[in-house]
Amino acid sequence: DAGITQSPRHKVTETGTPVTLRCHQTENHRYMYWYRQDPGHGLRLIHYSYGVKDTDKGEVSDGYSVSRSKTEDFLLTLESATSSQTSVYFCAISKLAGGDEQYFGPGTRLTVT
Amino acid sequence: KNQVEQSPQSLIILEGKNCTLQCNYTVSPFSNLRWYKQDTGRGPVSLTIMTFSENTKSNGRYTATLDADTKQSSLHITASQLSDSASYICVVSGVGDSSYKLIFGSGTRLLVRP
């Protein structure tokens, strides 16, 4: 998984609780991305980062926030989890902009009850 | 609207047989097209990347073709193996402001049976 780890790998939480997912890379790549994957849908971009403290929204950013204080870490926070956020979350990295090869982490399966 | 459609949704073949997966897209302007393999419980792994000027690209038993005029791509798997059982995802990258945002197909789930 190209030097990318995600934690936790599995999480079950209750509606209304805050949740933070972590992505850590050892490749020193500039760009980092958070996607969600749901049955019947392709992966959809939540947020991405193009450098430390530089982030932007993707197509499904409502209800999510991100932070990147170090090159190697990209955090995804669900401020108040809802059942619609039950999904598998993937982090990805790339050396150059979005047209470049993206390498994906192993994923985090989140269940909101 | 930028879209990527894949067919079939699922496919079962016998070990040793060949198969072809299809991808149609409406993303414009277009930068490149990728095929990923995703094993169950794992993240996607890149198989091929093609720019608009490339017609075909191979990676071992995987061969991808691209027709930029008709906006179609295919992934051909030769002499399938049990380890080919996975989802195969077609991804199209746009140009310019959209280049940060890849458009993903929903995948074809392939099962190779002994």
Side-chain angles (χ1 to χ4, degrees):
Chain A
D1 294 314
I4 308 168
T5 57
Q6 293 185 230
S7 58
R9 293 294 315 279
H10 302 272
K11 186 171 183 66
V12 179
T13 192
E14 293 184 348
T15 299
T17 59
V19 177
T20 295
L21 309 183
R22 180 182 182 235
C23 177
H24 178 79
Q25 60 146 329
T26 58
E27 306 296 322
N28 201 36
H29 282 2
R30 177 180 175 186
Y31 297 87
M32 299 185 75
Y33 313 82
W34 276 108
Y35 293 92
R36 61 178 289 173
Q37 186 175 41
D38 303 292
H41 291 273
L43 278 89
R44 292 178 290 175
L45 182 67
I46 304 171
H47 283 280
Y48 66 95
S49 169
Y50 46 97
V52 174
K53 293 191 169 64
D54 292 322
T55 65
D56 203 354
K57 296 179 179 180
E59 62 177 301
V60 291
S61 59
D62 287 348
Y64 302 95
S65 62
V66 290
S67 65
R68 191 168 177 200
S69 59
K70 298 185 289 185
T71 298
E72 58 266 35
D73 290 325
F74 192 31
L75 304 181
L76 176 71
T77 297
L78 291 66
E79 300 290 347
S80 177
T82 68
S83 58
S84 65
Q85 293 176 311
T86 292
S87 186
V88 181
Y89 292 85
F90 287 98
C91 173
I93 64 173
S94 68
K95 189 181 298 185
L96 302 175
D100 192 25
E101 178 71 74
Q102 289 191 13
Y103 302 93
F104 287 82
T108 293
R109 181 173 294 276
L110 176 67
T111 302
V112 183
T113 61
Chain B
K1 181 181 177 183
N2 289 330
Q3 285 187 312
V4 176
E5 304 275 351
Q6 291 187 245
S7 62
Q9 281 190 311
S10 61
L11 182 63
I12 302 174
I13 62 173
L14 292 176
E15 185 179 12
K17 299 296 186 182
N18 304 335
C19 68
T20 300
L21 313 180
Q22 300 290 344
C23 174
N24 295 336
Y25 62 93
T26 59
V27 179
S28 182
F30 164 87
S31 173
N32 60 58
L33 185 146
R34 314 144 189 233
W35 284 93
Y36 282 87
K37 178 186 179 188
Q38 184 176 20
D39 293 314
T40 301
R42 305 286 298 273
V45 175
S46 178
L47 294 174
T48 63
I49 296 181
M50 291 182 291
T51 66
F52 66 90
S53 62
E54 295 177 289
N55 298 117
T56 186
K57 183 163 279 190
S58 291
N59 178 356
R61 294 179 298 101
Y62 301 100
T63 299
T65 64
L66 174 63
D67 185 333
D69 291 331
T70 62
K71 293 185 167 55
Q72 295 181 324
S73 176
S74 64
L75 180 70
H76 186 74
I77 303 175
T78 303
S80 60
Q81 300 176 358
L82 298 180
S83 59
D84 292 330
S85 295
S87 288
Y88 292 85
I89 302 172
C90 176
V91 187
V92 179
S93 173
V95 177
D97 288 345
S98 64
S99 65
Y100 284 124
K101 302 176 180 72
L102 306 182
I103 311 298
F104 289 77
S106 56
T108 292
R109 185 176 295 274
L110 175 66
L111 177 62
V112 180
R113 285 191 168 156

